[in-house]
Coordinates of all heavy atoms in Angstrom, one line a residue:
M954 N 0.8 -5.8 -21.8 CA 0.1 -5.7 -20.6 C -1.4 -5.4 -20.8 O -1.7 -4.5 -21.6 CB 0.7 -4.6 -19.7 CG 0.0 -4.3 -18.4 SD 0.7 -3.0 -17.4 CE 2.2 -3.6 -17.0
T955 N -2.3 -6.1 -20.2 CA -3.7 -5.9 -20.4 C -4.1 -4.7 -19.5 O -3.4 -4.2 -18.6 CB -4.5 -7.1 -20.0 OG1 -4.3 -7.4 -18.6 CG2 -4.0 -8.3 -20.8
A956 N -5.4 -4.3 -19.8 CA -5.9 -3.2 -19.0 C -6.1 -3.6 -17.5 O -5.9 -2.8 -16.6 CB -7.2 -2.7 -19.6
A957 N -6.5 -4.8 -17.3 CA -6.7 -5.3 -15.9 C -5.4 -5.3 -15.1 O -5.3 -5.0 -14.0 CB -7.3 -6.7 -15.9
Q958 N -4.3 -5.7 -15.8 CA -3.0 -5.7 -15.1 C -2.5 -4.3 -14.8 O -2.0 -4.0 -13.7 CB -1.9 -6.4 -16.0 CG -2.2 -7.9 -16.2 CD -1.3 -8.5 -17.3 OE1 -0.8 -7.8 -18.1 NE2 -1.1 -9.8 -17.2
A959 N -2.8 -3.4 -15.7 CA -2.4 -2.0 -15.5 C -3.3 -1.4 -14.4 O -2.8 -0.6 -13.5 CB -2.6 -1.2 -16.8
L960 N -4.5 -1.8 -14.3 CA -5.4 -1.3 -13.2 C -4.9 -1.8 -11.9 O -4.9 -1.1 -10.9 CB -6.8 -1.8 -13.5 CG -7.9 -1.3 -12.4 CD1 -8.0 0.2 -12.3 CD2 -9.2 -2.0 -12.7
V961 N -4.5 -3.1 -11.8 CA -4.0 -3.6 -10.5 C -2.7 -2.9 -10.1 O -2.5 -2.6 -8.9 CB -3.8 -5.2 -10.6 CG1 -3.0 -5.7 -9.4 CG2 -5.1 -5.9 -10.7
L962 N -1.8 -2.7 -11.0 CA -0.6 -2.0 -10.7 C -0.9 -0.5 -10.3 O -0.2 0.0 -9.3 CB 0.4 -2.0 -11.9 CG 1.1 -3.3 -12.2 CD1 1.9 -3.2 -13.4 CD2 2.0 -3.6 -11.0
L963 N -1.8 0.1 -10.9 CA -2.2 1.5 -10.5 C -2.8 1.5 -9.1 O -2.5 2.3 -8.3 CB -3.2 2.1 -11.5 CG -3.6 3.5 -11.3 CD1 -2.4 4.5 -11.3 CD2 -4.6 4.0 -12.2
L964 N -3.7 0.5 -8.8 CA -4.3 0.4 -7.5 C -3.2 0.1 -6.5 O -3.3 0.7 -5.3 CB -5.3 -0.8 -7.5 CG -6.7 -0.5 -8.0 CD1 -7.5 -1.8 -8.0 CD2 -7.4 0.6 -7.2
A965 N -2.2 -0.7 -6.8 CA -1.1 -1.0 -5.9 C -0.3 0.3 -5.6 O 0.1 0.5 -4.5 CB -0.2 -2.1 -6.4
L966 N 0.0 1.1 -6.6 CA 0.7 2.3 -6.5 C 0.0 3.3 -5.6 O 0.6 3.8 -4.6 CB 1.0 2.9 -7.8 CG 1.9 4.2 -7.8 CD1 3.3 3.9 -7.3 CD2 1.9 4.8 -9.2
V967 N -1.3 3.5 -5.8 CA -2.1 4.4 -5.0 C -2.2 3.8 -3.6 O -2.1 4.6 -2.6 CB -3.4 4.6 -5.7 CG1 -4.4 5.4 -4.7 CG2 -3.3 5.4 -7.0
G968 N -2.6 2.6 -3.5 CA -2.8 2.0 -2.1 C -1.5 2.0 -1.3 O -1.6 2.1 -0.1
A969 N -0.4 1.8 -1.9 CA 0.9 1.8 -1.1 C 1.3 3.2 -0.6 O 1.9 3.3 0.4 CB 2.0 1.2 -2.0
N970 N 0.9 4.2 -1.4 CA 1.3 5.6 -1.0 C 0.3 6.3 -0.2 O 0.6 7.3 0.5 CB 1.7 6.4 -2.3 CG 3.0 5.9 -2.8 OD1 4.0 6.1 -2.2 ND2 3.0 5.3 -3.9
L971 N -1.0 5.9 -0.2 CA -2.1 6.6 0.4 C -1.8 6.8 1.9 O -2.1 7.8 2.5 CB -3.4 5.9 0.2 CG -4.6 6.7 0.2 CD1 -4.5 7.9 -0.7 CD2 -5.8 5.9 -0.1
P972 N -1.3 5.8 2.7 CA -1.1 6.0 4.1 C -0.1 7.1 4.4 O -0.2 7.7 5.5 CB -0.5 4.6 4.6 CG -1.0 3.6 3.6 CD -1.1 4.4 2.3
F973 N 0.8 7.4 3.6 CA 1.7 8.5 3.8 C 1.2 9.9 3.6 O 1.8 10.9 4.0 CB 3.0 8.3 3.0 CG 3.7 7.0 3.4 CD1 3.6 5.9 2.6 CD2 4.5 7.0 4.5 CE1 4.3 4.7 2.9 CE2 5.2 5.8 4.9 CZ 5.1 4.7 4.1
F974 N 0.0 10.0 2.9 CA -0.6 11.3 2.7 C -1.8 11.5 3.5 O -2.4 12.6 3.4 CB -0.9 11.4 1.2 CG 0.3 11.4 0.3 CD1 0.6 10.3 -0.5 CD2 1.1 12.5 0.3 CE1 1.7 10.3 -1.3 CE2 2.3 12.5 -0.5 CZ 2.6 11.4 -1.3
S975 N -2.2 10.6 4.3 CA -3.4 10.7 5.2 C -2.9 11.0 6.6 O -2.1 10.3 7.1 CB -4.3 9.5 5.1 OG -5.3 9.6 6.1
R976 N -3.5 11.9 7.3 CA -3.2 12.2 8.7 C -4.0 11.4 9.7 O -3.8 11.3 10.8 CB -3.4 13.7 9.0 CG -2.4 14.6 8.2 CD -2.6 16.0 8.7 NE -1.8 16.9 7.9 CZ -0.6 17.3 8.2 NH1 0.0 16.8 9.2 NH2 0.1 18.1 7.4
R977 N -5.1 10.7 9.2 CA -6.0 10.0 10.0 C -5.6 8.5 10.1 O -5.1 8.0 9.1 CB -7.4 10.1 9.5 CG -7.9 11.5 9.6 CD -9.4 11.6 9.2 NE -10.0 12.9 9.5 CZ -10.6 13.2 10.6 NH1 -10.8 12.2 11.5 NH2 -11.1 14.3 10.8
I978 N -5.8 7.9 11.2 CA -5.5 6.5 11.4 C -6.6 5.7 10.7 O -7.8 5.9 10.9 CB -5.5 6.1 12.9 CG1 -4.3 6.9 13.6 CG2 -5.4 4.6 13.1 CD1 -4.2 6.7 15.1
L979 N -6.2 4.8 9.8 CA -7.1 4.0 9.0 C -8.1 4.9 8.2 O -9.2 4.5 7.9 CB -7.8 2.9 9.8 CG -7.0 1.9 10.5 CD1 -7.8 1.0 11.4 CD2 -6.2 1.1 9.5
F980 N -7.7 6.1 7.9 CA -8.4 7.1 7.1 C -9.7 7.5 7.8 O -10.5 8.2 7.1 CB -8.7 6.5 5.7 CG -7.5 6.0 5.0 CD1 -7.4 4.6 4.8 CD2 -6.5 6.8 4.6 CE1 -6.3 4.1 4.2 CE2 -5.4 6.3 4.0 CZ -5.2 4.9 3.8
V981 N -9.9 7.2 9.1 CA -11.1 7.6 9.8 C -10.8 8.3 11.1 O -11.4 9.4 11.3 CB -12.0 6.3 10.0 CG1 -13.2 6.6 10.8 CG2 -12.3 5.6 8.8
L982 N -10.0 7.7 11.9 CA -9.8 8.2 13.3 C -8.7 9.3 13.3 O -7.6 9.0 12.8 CB -9.5 7.1 14.2 CG -10.5 5.9 14.3 CD1 -9.9 4.8 15.0 CD2 -11.8 6.4 14.9
P983 N -8.9 10.4 14.0 CA -7.8 11.3 14.2 C -6.9 10.8 15.3 O -7.3 10.2 16.3 CB -8.5 12.6 14.7 CG -9.8 12.2 15.2 CD -10.2 10.9 14.5
P984 N -5.6 11.0 15.1 CA -4.6 10.5 16.1 C -4.7 11.3 17.4 O -5.0 12.4 17.4 CB -3.2 10.6 15.4 CG -3.4 11.6 14.4 CD -4.9 11.6 14.0
R985 N -4.4 10.6 18.5 CA -4.5 11.2 19.8 C -3.3 12.2 20.1 O -3.4 13.2 20.7 CB -4.5 10.2 20.9 CG -5.7 9.4 21.0 CD -5.7 8.5 22.1 NE -6.9 7.6 22.1 CZ -7.1 6.6 22.9 NH1 -6.1 6.2 23.7 NH2 -8.2 5.9 22.8
A986 N -2.1 11.8 19.6 CA -0.9 12.6 19.9 C -0.6 13.7 18.9 O 0.4 14.3 18.9 CB 0.3 11.6 20.0
G987 N -1.5 13.9 18.0 CA -1.3 15.0 17.0 C -0.8 14.5 15.6 O -1.3 14.9 14.6
E988 N 0.1 13.6 15.6 CA 0.7 13.1 14.3 C 0.7 11.6 14.4 O 1.0 10.9 15.3 CB 2.1 13.6 14.1 CG 2.7 13.2 12.8 CD 2.1 13.8 11.6 OE1 1.5 14.9 11.7 OE2 2.2 13.2 10.5
K989 N 0.3 11.0 13.3 CA 0.3 9.5 13.1 C 1.7 9.1 12.9 O 2.5 9.6 12.2 CB -0.6 9.2 11.9 CG -0.7 7.7 11.6 CD -1.8 7.4 10.6 CE -1.5 8.0 9.2 NZ -2.4 7.5 8.2
G990 N 2.1 8.0 13.7 CA 3.4 7.5 13.6 C 3.7 6.6 12.5 O 2.8 6.2 11.7
L991 N 5.0 6.3 12.3 CA 5.4 5.4 11.3 C 4.8 4.0 11.4 O 4.5 3.3 10.4 CB 6.9 5.3 11.2 CG 7.6 4.4 10.2 CD1 7.2 4.9 8.8 CD2 9.0 4.3 10.3
A992 N 4.6 3.5 12.6 CA 4.1 2.2 12.8 C 2.6 2.1 12.3 O 2.3 1.1 11.7 CB 4.1 1.8 14.3
W993 N 1.8 3.1 12.5 CA 0.5 3.2 12.0 C 0.5 3.2 10.4 O -0.3 2.5 9.8 CB -0.3 4.4 12.4 CG -0.9 4.2 13.8 CD1 -0.6 4.7 14.9 CD2 -2.0 3.3 14.0 NE1 -1.4 4.3 15.9 CE2 -2.3 3.4 15.4 CE3 -2.8 2.4 13.3 CZ2 -3.3 2.7 16.0 CZ3 -3.8 1.7 13.9 CH2 -4.1 1.8 15.2
R994 N 1.4 3.9 9.9 CA 1.5 4.0 8.4 C 1.9 2.6 7.8 O 1.4 2.2 6.8 CB 2.5 5.1 8.0 CG 2.0 6.5 8.4 CD 3.0 7.6 7.9 NE 2.8 8.8 8.5 CZ 1.8 9.7 8.3 NH1 0.9 9.4 7.4 NH2 1.7 10.8 9.0
L995 N 2.9 1.9 8.5 CA 3.3 0.6 8.0 C 2.1 -0.4 8.1 O 2.0 -1.2 7.2 CB 4.5 0.2 8.7 CG 5.8 1.0 8.4 CD1 7.0 0.4 9.2 CD2 6.1 1.0 6.9
L996 N 1.4 -0.3 9.2 CA 0.2 -1.2 9.3 C -0.8 -0.9 8.2 O -1.4 -1.8 7.7 CB -0.4 -1.0 10.7 CG -1.6 -1.8 11.0 CD1 -1.2 -3.3 11.1 CD2 -2.3 -1.4 12.3
E997 N -1.0 0.4 7.9 CA -1.9 0.7 6.8 C -1.4 0.2 5.5 O -2.2 -0.2 4.6 CB -2.2 2.2 6.8 CG -3.0 2.7 8.0 CD -3.1 4.2 8.1 OE1 -2.4 4.9 7.3 OE2 -4.0 4.7 8.8
V998 N -0.1 0.3 5.3 CA 0.5 -0.2 4.0 C 0.2 -1.7 3.9 O -0.2 -2.3 2.8 CB 2.0 0.1 3.9 CG1 2.6 -0.7 2.8 CG2 2.2 1.6 3.7
L999 N 0.4 -2.5 5.0 CA 0.1 -3.9 5.0 C -1.4 -4.2 4.8 O -1.7 -5.1 4.0 CB 0.5 -4.5 6.4 CG 0.5 -6.0 6.5 CD1 1.4 -6.6 5.5 CD2 0.8 -6.4 7.9
L1000 N -2.3 -3.4 5.4 CA -3.7 -3.5 5.1 C -4.0 -3.3 3.7 O -4.8 -4.0 3.1 CB -4.5 -2.6 6.1 CG -6.0 -2.6 6.0 CD1 -6.5 -4.0 6.4 CD2 -6.6 -1.5 6.8
A1001 N -3.4 -2.2 3.1 CA -3.7 -1.9 1.7 C -3.2 -3.0 0.8 O -3.8 -3.3 -0.3 CB -3.0 -0.6 1.3
Y1002 N -2.1 -3.7 1.2 CA -1.6 -4.8 0.4 C -2.6 -5.9 0.3 O -2.9 -6.5 -0.7 CB -0.3 -5.4 1.1 CG 0.2 -6.7 0.5 CD1 0.8 -6.8 -0.7 CD2 0.0 -7.9 1.3 CE1 1.2 -8.0 -1.2 CE2 0.4 -9.1 0.8 CZ 1.0 -9.2 -0.5 OH 1.4 -10.4 -0.9
F1003 N -3.2 -6.2 1.5 CA -4.3 -7.3 1.5 C -5.5 -6.9 0.7 O -6.1 -7.7 0.0 CB -4.6 -7.7 2.9 CG -3.5 -8.5 3.5 CD1 -2.8 -8.0 4.6 CD2 -3.2 -9.8 3.1 CE1 -1.8 -8.8 5.2 CE2 -2.2 -10.5 3.6 CZ -1.5 -10.0 4.7
I1004 N -5.9 -5.6 0.8 CA -7.0 -5.1 0.0 C -6.8 -5.2 -1.5 O -7.6 -5.7 -2.2 CB -7.4 -3.7 0.5 CG1 -8.0 -3.7 1.9 CG2 -8.4 -3.0 -0.5 CD1 -8.2 -2.3 2.5
V1005 N -5.6 -4.7 -1.9 CA -5.3 -4.7 -3.4 C -5.2 -6.2 -3.8 O -5.6 -6.5 -4.9 CB -4.0 -3.9 -3.6 CG1 -3.5 -4.2 -5.1 CG2 -4.3 -2.4 -3.4
G1006 N -4.6 -7.0 -3.0 CA -4.5 -8.5 -3.3 C -5.9 -9.1 -3.5 O -6.1 -9.9 -4.4
G1007 N -6.8 -8.7 -2.6 CA -8.2 -9.3 -2.7 C -8.9 -8.8 -4.0 O -9.5 -9.6 -4.6
I1008 N -8.6 -7.5 -4.3 CA -9.2 -7.0 -5.6 C -8.6 -7.7 -6.8 O -9.3 -8.1 -7.7 CB -9.0 -5.5 -5.7 CG1 -9.9 -4.8 -4.6 CG2 -9.4 -5.0 -7.0 CD1 -9.6 -3.3 -4.4
A1009 N -7.3 -7.9 -6.7 CA -6.6 -8.7 -7.8 C -7.2 -10.1 -8.0 O -7.4 -10.6 -9.1 CB -5.1 -8.6 -7.7
A1010 N -7.3 -10.8 -6.8 CA -7.8 -12.1 -6.9 C -9.3 -12.2 -7.4 O -9.7 -13.1 -8.1 CB -7.8 -12.8 -5.5
L1011 N -10.1 -11.2 -7.0 CA -11.5 -11.1 -7.5 C -11.5 -10.9 -9.0 O -12.2 -11.5 -9.7 CB -12.2 -10.0 -6.8 CG -13.6 -9.8 -7.2 CD1 -14.5 -10.9 -6.7 CD2 -14.2 -8.5 -6.6
M1012 N -10.6 -10.0 -9.5 CA -10.5 -9.7 -10.9 C -10.1 -11.0 -11.7 O -10.6 -11.3 -12.7 CB -9.6 -8.6 -11.2 CG -10.1 -7.3 -10.8 SD -9.0 -5.9 -10.9 CE -8.8 -5.8 -12.7
E1013 N -9.1 -11.7 -11.1 CA -8.6 -13.0 -11.7 C -9.7 -14.0 -11.8 O -9.9 -14.7 -12.8 CB -7.4 -13.5 -11.0 CG -6.8 -14.7 -11.6 CD -5.6 -15.3 -10.9 OE1 -5.3 -14.8 -9.8 OE2 -5.0 -16.3 -11.4
S1014 N -10.5 -14.2 -10.7 CA -11.5 -15.2 -10.7 C -12.6 -14.9 -11.6 O -13.2 -15.8 -12.2 CB -12.1 -15.3 -9.2 OG -12.8 -14.2 -8.9
R1015 N -12.9 -13.6 -11.8 CA -13.9 -13.2 -12.8 C -13.5 -13.4 -14.2 O -14.2 -13.7 -15.1 CB -14.4 -11.8 -12.6 CG -15.0 -11.6 -11.2 CD -16.3 -10.9 -11.4 NE -17.0 -10.9 -10.1 CZ -17.8 -9.9 -9.7 NH1 -17.9 -8.9 -10.5 NH2 -18.4 -10.0 -8.6
A1016 N -12.2 -13.2 -14.5 CA -11.7 -13.3 -15.8 C -11.4 -14.7 -16.2 O -11.6 -15.1 -17.4 CB -10.4 -12.5 -15.9
H1017 N -11.0 -15.6 -15.3 CA -10.6 -16.9 -15.7 C -11.4 -18.0 -15.0 O -11.1 -19.2 -15.2 CB -9.1 -17.2 -15.3 CG -8.2 -16.2 -15.9 ND1 -7.9 -16.2 -17.3 CD2 -7.4 -15.2 -15.5 CE1 -7.0 -15.3 -17.6 NE2 -6.7 -14.6 -16.5
G1018 N -12.4 -17.6 -14.2 CA -13.2 -18.6 -13.6 C -12.6 -19.3 -12.3 O -13.2 -20.2 -11.8
G1019 N -11.5 -18.8 -11.9 CA -10.9 -19.3 -10.7 C -9.6 -18.6 -10.4 O -9.1 -17.9 -11.3
V1020 N -9.0 -18.8 -9.2 CA -7.8 -18.1 -8.9 C -6.7 -19.2 -8.9 O -6.9 -20.3 -8.3 CB -7.9 -17.5 -7.5 CG1 -6.5 -16.9 -7.1 CG2 -8.9 -16.4 -7.5
Y1021 N -5.6 -19.0 -9.6 CA -4.5 -19.9 -9.7 C -3.9 -20.0 -8.3 O -3.6 -19.0 -7.7 CB -3.5 -19.4 -10.7 CG -2.4 -20.4 -10.9 CD1 -2.6 -21.5 -11.8 CD2 -1.1 -20.2 -10.3 CE1 -1.6 -22.4 -12.0 CE2 -0.1 -21.1 -10.6 CZ -0.3 -22.2 -11.4 OH 0.7 -23.1 -11.6
P1022 N -3.6 -21.2 -7.7 CA -3.1 -21.3 -6.4 C -1.6 -20.8 -6.4 O -0.8 -21.1 -7.3 CB -3.1 -22.8 -6.1 CG -3.3 -23.5 -7.4 CD -3.9 -22.5 -8.4
Q1023 N -1.3 -20.1 -5.3 CA 0.0 -19.5 -5.2 C 0.7 -20.0 -3.9 O 0.0 -20.5 -3.0 CB 0.0 -18.0 -5.1 CG -0.7 -17.3 -6.2 CD 0.0 -17.4 -7.5 OE1 1.2 -17.7 -7.6 NE2 -0.7 -17.1 -8.6
H1024 N 2.0 -20.0 -3.9 CA 2.8 -20.4 -2.8 C 3.4 -19.2 -2.1 O 3.2 -18.1 -2.5 CB 3.9 -21.4 -3.2 CG 3.3 -22.7 -3.8 ND1 2.6 -23.6 -3.1 CD2 3.3 -23.1 -5.1 CE1 2.2 -24.5 -3.9 NE2 2.6 -24.2 -5.2
W1025 N 4.2 -19.4 -1.0 CA 4.7 -18.3 -0.2 C 5.6 -17.4 -1.0 O 5.7 -16.2 -0.7 CB 5.4 -18.9 1.0 CG 6.7 -19.6 0.7 CD1 6.9 -20.9 0.5 CD2 8.0 -19.0 0.7 NE1 8.2 -21.1 0.2 CE2 8.9 -20.0 0.4 CE3 8.4 -17.7 0.8 CZ2 10.3 -19.7 0.2 CZ3 9.8 -17.4 0.7 CH2 10.7 -18.4 0.4
E1026 N 6.3 -18.0 -2.0 CA 7.2 -17.1 -2.8 C 6.5 -16.0 -3.6 O 7.0 -14.9 -3.7 CB 8.0 -18.0 -3.9 CG 8.9 -19.0 -3.3 CD 8.2 -20.4 -3.1 OE1 7.0 -20.5 -3.2 OE2 8.9 -21.4 -2.8
F1027 N 5.3 -16.3 -4.0 CA 4.5 -15.3 -4.7 C 4.2 -14.1 -3.8 O 4.3 -13.0 -4.1 CB 3.2 -15.9 -5.3 CG 2.2 -14.9 -5.8 CD1 2.4 -14.4 -7.1 CD2 1.2 -14.5 -5.1 CE1 1.5 -13.5 -7.6 CE2 0.2 -13.6 -5.6 CZ 0.4 -13.1 -6.8
Y1028 N 3.7 -14.5 -2.6 CA 3.3 -13.5 -1.6 C 4.5 -12.7 -1.1 O 4.4 -11.5 -0.9 CB 2.5 -14.1 -0.5 CG 1.3 -14.7 -0.9 CD1 1.1 -16.1 -1.1 CD2 0.2 -13.9 -1.4 CE1 -0.1 -16.7 -1.5 CE2 -1.0 -14.5 -1.8 CZ -1.1 -15.9 -1.9 OH -2.2 -16.4 -2.4
A1029 N 5.7 -13.3 -0.9 CA 6.9 -12.6 -0.5 C 7.3 -11.6 -1.6 O 7.6 -10.5 -1.3 CB 8.0 -13.6 -0.2
T1030 N 7.2 -12.0 -2.8 CA 7.6 -11.2 -3.9 C 6.7 -10.0 -4.1 O 7.1 -8.8 -4.3 CB 7.7 -12.0 -5.3 OG1 8.6 -13.0 -5.1 CG2 8.1 -11.1 -6.4
T1031 N 5.4 -10.2 -4.0 CA 4.4 -9.2 -4.2 C 4.4 -8.2 -3.0 O 4.2 -7.0 -3.2 CB 3.0 -9.7 -4.4 OG1 2.6 -10.5 -3.3 CG2 2.9 -10.4 -5.7
L1032 N 4.7 -8.7 -1.8 CA 4.8 -7.8 -0.7 C 6.0 -6.9 -0.8 O 6.0 -5.7 -0.5 CB 4.9 -8.6 0.6 CG 5.0 -7.7 1.9 CD1 3.8 -6.8 2.1 CD2 5.2 -8.6 3.1
C1033 N 7.1 -7.4 -1.3 CA 8.3 -6.6 -1.5 C 8.1 -5.6 -2.6 O 8.5 -4.4 -2.5 CB 9.5 -7.5 -1.9 SG 10.2 -8.5 -0.6
L1034 N 7.4 -6.0 -3.7 CA 7.0 -5.0 -4.7 C 6.1 -3.9 -4.2 O 6.3 -2.7 -4.5 CB 6.3 -5.7 -5.9 CG 5.7 -4.8 -7.0 CD1 6.9 -4.2 -7.7 CD2 4.9 -5.6 -7.9
F1035 N 5.2 -4.3 -3.3 CA 4.3 -3.3 -2.7 C 5.1 -2.3 -1.8 O 4.8 -1.1 -1.8 CB 3.2 -4.0 -1.9 CG 2.0 -3.2 -1.7 CD1 1.0 -3.2 -2.7 CD2 1.7 -2.6 -0.5 CE1 -0.1 -2.5 -2.6 CE2 0.5 -1.9 -0.4 CZ -0.4 -1.8 -1.4
I1036 N 6.1 -2.8 -1.1 CA 6.9 -1.9 -0.3 C 7.7 -1.0 -1.2 O 7.9 0.2 -0.8 CB 7.8 -2.8 0.7 CG1 6.9 -3.4 1.7 CG2 8.9 -1.9 1.3 CD1 7.7 -4.5 2.5
V1037 N 8.2 -1.5 -2.3 CA 9.0 -0.6 -3.2 C 8.0 0.4 -3.8 O 8.4 1.6 -3.9 CB 9.6 -1.5 -4.3 CG1 10.1 -0.6 -5.5 CG2 10.7 -2.3 -3.8
L1038 N 6.8 0.1 -4.1 CA 5.9 1.1 -4.6 C 5.5 2.1 -3.5 O 5.1 3.2 -3.9 CB 4.6 0.4 -5.1 CG 4.7 -0.5 -6.3 CD1 3.4 -1.2 -6.6 CD2 5.1 0.4 -7.5
A1039 N 5.7 1.8 -2.2 CA 5.4 2.8 -1.2 C 6.5 3.7 -0.9 O 6.4 4.7 -0.2 CB 5.1 2.0 0.1
Y1040 N 7.7 3.5 -1.6 CA 8.8 4.3 -1.3 C 8.6 5.8 -1.7 O 9.1 6.7 -0.9 CB 10.0 3.8 -2.1 CG 11.3 4.5 -1.8 CD1 11.9 4.4 -0.5 CD2 12.0 5.3 -2.7 CE1 13.1 5.0 -0.2 CE2 13.1 6.0 -2.4 CZ 13.7 5.8 -1.1 OH 14.8 6.5 -0.8
P1041 N 8.0 6.2 -2.7 CA 7.8 7.6 -3.0 C 7.0 8.3 -1.9 O 7.4 9.5 -1.5 CB 7.0 7.7 -4.3 CG 7.3 6.4 -5.0 CD 7.5 5.4 -3.9
G1042 N 6.0 7.7 -1.3 CA 5.2 8.3 -0.2 C 6.1 8.4 1.0 O 6.0 9.4 1.8
F1043 N 6.9 7.4 1.3 CA 7.8 7.5 2.4 C 8.8 8.6 2.3 O 9.1 9.4 3.3 CB 8.6 6.2 2.6 CG 9.6 6.1 3.7 CD1 9.2 5.9 5.0 CD2 10.9 6.3 3.4 CE1 10.1 5.9 6.0 CE2 11.9 6.3 4.4 CZ 11.5 6.1 5.7
V1044 N 9.4 8.8 1.1 CA 10.3 9.9 0.9 C 9.7 11.2 1.1 O 10.3 12.1 1.7 CB 11.0 9.7 -0.5 CG1 11.7 11.0 -0.9 CG2 11.9 8.5 -0.6
I1045 N 8.5 11.4 0.5 CA 7.8 12.7 0.6 C 7.5 13.0 2.1 O 7.6 14.1 2.5 CB 6.6 12.8 -0.3 CG1 7.1 12.8 -1.7 CG2 5.7 13.9 0.0 CD1 6.0 12.6 -2.7
R1046 N 7.1 12.0 2.8 CA 6.6 12.2 4.2 C 7.8 12.4 5.2 O 7.8 13.3 6.0 CB 5.8 11.0 4.7 CG 5.5 11.0 6.2 CD 4.7 12.2 6.7 NE 3.4 12.2 6.1 CZ 2.6 13.3 6.2 NH1 2.9 14.3 7.0 NH2 1.4 13.3 5.6
Y1047 N 8.9 11.6 5.0 CA 9.9 11.6 6.1 C 11.3 12.1 5.6 O 12.1 12.6 6.4 CB 10.1 10.2 6.6 CG 8.9 9.7 7.4 CD1 8.1 8.7 6.9 CD2 8.6 10.2 8.6 CE1 7.0 8.3 7.6 CE2 7.6 9.8 9.3 CZ 6.7 8.8 8.8 OH 5.6 8.4 9.5
L1048 N 11.6 12.1 4.3 CA 12.9 12.5 3.9 C 13.0 13.8 3.1 O 14.0 14.4 3.0 CB 13.5 11.4 3.0 CG 13.7 10.0 3.7 CD1 14.2 9.0 2.7 CD2 14.5 10.0 4.9
W1049 N 11.9 14.2 2.6 CA 11.8 15.5 1.8 C 12.0 16.6 2.8 O 11.3 16.7 3.8 CB 10.5 15.6 1.1 CG 10.5 16.5 0.0 CD1 10.2 17.8 0.0 CD2 10.7 16.1 -1.4 NE1 10.3 18.3 -1.3 CE2 10.6 17.3 -2.1 CE3 11.0 15.0 -2.1 CZ2 10.7 17.3 -3.5 CZ3 11.1 15.0 -3.4 CH2 11.0 16.2 -4.1
P1050 N 12.9 17.6 2.5 CA 13.1 18.7 3.4 C 11.8 19.6 3.4 O 11.3 19.9 2.4 CB 14.3 19.4 2.9 CG 14.4 19.0 1.5 CD 13.8 17.6 1.4
R1051 N 11.5 20.0 4.6 CA 10.3 20.9 4.8 C 10.9 22.3 5.1 O 11.7 22.5 6.0 CB 9.4 20.5 5.9 CG 8.7 19.2 5.5 CD 7.5 19.0 6.5 NE 6.8 17.9 6.1 CZ 6.9 16.6 6.6 NH1 7.8 16.4 7.5 NH2 6.2 15.7 6.2
H1052 N 10.4 23.3 4.4 CA 10.8 24.7 4.7 C 9.8 25.3 5.8 O 8.6 25.3 5.6 CB 10.7 25.5 3.5 CG 11.7 25.0 2.4 ND1 13.0 25.0 2.6 CD2 11.4 24.5 1.2 CE1 13.6 24.5 1.5 NE2 12.6 24.2 0.6
K1053 N 10.4 25.7 6.8 CA 9.6 26.3 7.9 C 9.5 27.8 7.7 O 10.6 28.4 7.5 CB 10.1 26.0 9.3 CG 10.1 24.5 9.5 CD 10.4 24.2 10.9 CE 10.4 22.7 11.0 NZ 10.1 22.2 12.3
G1054 N 8.4 28.3 7.7 CA 8.3 29.8 7.5 C 7.0 30.3 7.4 O 5.9 29.9 7.6

């Protein structure tokens, strides 16, 4: 694994989990109802997928002089991988027991 591949995987891991640790909508706006809902978090995960994908495409074009054309199978697989990478943030936000006190 090259350093560029490791960097893309690290960016994907951070980008997939960041929406679950931020209380602000799109990291800027405070939510009106007090707590950001799951729908906003999933939308932010999808947005992070496109941002990380753009960074990866930019890195590939700089390294190889162009981006290899991909088909829908590639995007379906990478989106599923991104959702799997988001699982730790989801568990900590929604499934981890909170002690009230």
